[in-house]
């Protein structure tokens, strides 16, 4: 009985210790006209190309380049429906042409460059009519360490990839990717469909990482388990109201989700160059999520579960 009590106290202590280490920002501030609560739980997951916490040596090793500032390479909406059921992971292409509040029509990733997480969240809420409940962001720094902490991630690719800009060279087939290779895979646009193909790989990678992190080889190995938890804490930035138990709930939801890309029109020329216009299908798609209803199969793009 005493041993059980000690284990409970240690577990609770570790939980609160890791929670205090989370890097927090005010990503979900109030603003006039913000959507009221919508059914289910909604996360915005953002991957940025920030290099601010990388040394010059790390930038060379990870082939990140030397660009300053921070832009969004990945934007995903994770909707956990009310009353149970599978979560849906929705990739929002960074070239989607939308109304950025206060700045006119721009590609959606411009909102992050202009106004950081708060303006990106407002832009996504303006696009979808869905209230974002939680926010998580990961940059280049810490990404490779997070992958390496679980001993790499298993991924299969259906074509050889050679992208010097992303530091990536992989043969067709299945691989266990280390952190450097995984970073290259989620960054590369070396496909005929460019960003639309990249977002599919990003979703596959996220599913593979969650699968690996929740596998017995990690959960039953304290060195890997605590390495992963510590790596995730160091790599992630969350909203100031988020906690480690919210992240744990997100991990559980991501074990077997439906995955899709936001429906959009064909690439067209805009003041921003080639961009993807919002269409009636876009509006219809988010209408189902906004109402907490299943999305019909005909509105799911590049859909599927983890592979």
């Amino acid at each position: 009985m005493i041993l059980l009590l000690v284990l409970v106290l240690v577990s609770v202590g570790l939980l609160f210790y890791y929670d205090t280490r989370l890097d927090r920002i005010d990503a979900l501030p109030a603003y006039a006209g913000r959507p009221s609560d919508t059914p289910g739980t909604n996360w915005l997951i953002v991957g940025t190309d920030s290099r601010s916490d990388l040394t010059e040596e790390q930038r060379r090793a990870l082939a990140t380049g030397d660009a300053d500032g921070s832009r969004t390479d990945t934007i995903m909406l994770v909707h956990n429906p009310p009353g149970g059921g599978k979560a849906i992971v929705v990739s929002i292409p960074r070239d989607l042409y939308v109304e950025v509040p206060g700045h006119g029509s721009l590609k959606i990733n411009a909102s992050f460059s202009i106004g950081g997480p708060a303006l990106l969240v407002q832009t996504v809420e303006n696009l979808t009519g869905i209230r974002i409940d939680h926010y998580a962001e990961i940059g280049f720094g810490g990404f490779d360490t997070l992958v390496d902490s679980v001993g790499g991630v298993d991924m299969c690719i259906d074509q050889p990839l050679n992208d010097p800009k992303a530091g990536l060279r992989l043969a067709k087939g299945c691989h266990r990717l280390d952190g450097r290779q995984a970073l290259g895979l989620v960054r590369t646009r070396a496909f005929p469909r460019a960003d639309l193909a990249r977002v599919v790989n990003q979703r596959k990678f996220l599913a593979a990482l969650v699968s690996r992190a929740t596998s017995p080889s990690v959960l039953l190995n304290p060195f890997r388990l605590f390495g992963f938890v510590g790596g995730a804490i160091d790599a992630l930035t969350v909203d100031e109201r988020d906690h480690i138990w919210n992240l744990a709930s997100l991990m559980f939801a991501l074990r077997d989700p439906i995955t899709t890309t936001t429906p959009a029109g064909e690439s067209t020329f805009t003041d921003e160059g080639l961009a993807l216009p919002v269409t009636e299908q876009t509006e219809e798609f988010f209408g189902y999520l906004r109402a907490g209803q299943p999305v019909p199969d005909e509105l799911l793009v590049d859909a599927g579960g983890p592979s």
Side-chain angles (χ1 to χ4, degrees):
M1 183 67 182
I2 294 177
L3 179 59
L4 179 60
L5 179 61
V6 170
L7 289 174
V8 169
L9 291 175
V10 169
S11 299
V12 171
L14 285 172
L15 185 70
F16 281 95
Y17 166 71
Y18 281 119
D19 189 62
T20 61
R21 286 183 52 196
L22 277 169
D23 185 18
R24 293 181 169 92
I25 56 173
D26 187 11
L28 306 173
Y31 61 86
R34 188 179 184 201
S36 56
D37 284 341
T38 44
T41 302
N42 301 292
W43 280 84
L44 192 66
I45 301 179
V46 177
T48 77
D49 64 0
S50 174
R51 302 154 173 85
S52 60
D53 54 353
L54 294 177
T55 65
E56 289 299 322
E57 183 179 355
Q58 288 173 319
R59 293 186 189 197
R60 288 193 297 271
L62 297 174
T64 64
D66 298 313
D68 293 324
S70 183
R71 290 158 292 275
T72 52
D73 272 347
T74 307
I75 307 171
M76 293 184 190
L77 173 67
V78 179
H79 172 74
N80 224 351
K86 284 189 176 184
I88 182 169
V89 180
V90 184
S91 295
I92 302 176
R94 68 179 193 171
D95 292 340
L96 194 66
Y97 199 60
V98 301
E99 185 70 21
V100 176
H103 299 275
S105 295
L106 298 166
K107 292 182 182 180
I108 194 166
N109 68 332
S111 61
F112 188 91
S113 300
I114 294 169
L119 184 58
L120 174 62
V121 168
Q122 186 177 354
T123 302
V124 171
E125 290 183 334
N126 186 62
L127 167 69
T128 65
I130 294 169
R131 187 182 181 98
I132 303 299
D133 303 302
H134 303 283
Y135 176 87
E137 175 188 318
I138 184 168
F140 284 169
F143 182 95
D144 60 317
T145 304
L146 181 61
V147 174
D148 290 336
S149 70
V150 295
V153 170
D154 296 323
M155 286 282 293
C156 295
I157 56 174
D158 56 12
Q159 67 180 76
L161 294 176
N162 184 14
D163 184 355
K165 290 183 178 180
L168 183 67
R169 188 179 184 88
L170 291 173
K172 176 182 176 180
C174 296
H175 305 268
R176 173 156 292 181
L177 304 181
D178 62 22
R180 183 180 186 278
Q181 293 170 319
L183 179 59
L185 181 67
V186 299
R187 290 179 57 211
T188 185
R189 302 176 80 187
F191 309 100
R193 297 176 65 225
D195 197 51
L196 292 179
R198 177 169 69 166
V199 297
V200 175
N201 277 337
Q202 289 171 345
R203 293 197 305 265
K204 288 181 178 179
F205 171 78
L206 180 62
L209 176 61
V210 170
S211 176
R212 178 71 173 164
T214 56
S215 68
S217 63
V218 173
L219 293 179
L220 300 180
N221 184 331
F223 296 101
R224 282 189 173 167
L225 176 60
F226 287 112
F228 174 75
V229 174
I233 295 298
D234 292 339
L236 287 170
T237 299
V238 298
D239 179 66
E240 61 185 12
R241 291 160 284 271
D242 286 324
H243 295 281
I244 195 167
W245 41 91
N246 300 128
L247 290 170
S249 177
L250 173 64
M251 287 280 288
F252 181 80
L254 291 174
R255 292 184 66 184
D256 184 27
I258 299 167
T259 64
T260 188
T261 304
T262 301
E266 294 294 326
S267 293
T268 186
F269 282 101
T270 69
D271 292 340
E272 294 277 285
L274 281 174
L276 300 170
V278 170
T279 66
E280 290 183 4
Q281 278 194 323
T282 314
E283 303 286 354
E284 185 181 2
F285 173 86
F286 286 119
Y288 282 101
L289 295 185
R290 193 163 54 243
Q293 298 176 356
V295 178
D297 289 345
E298 60 267 23
L299 290 177
L300 299 178
V301 182
D302 297 318
S307 63

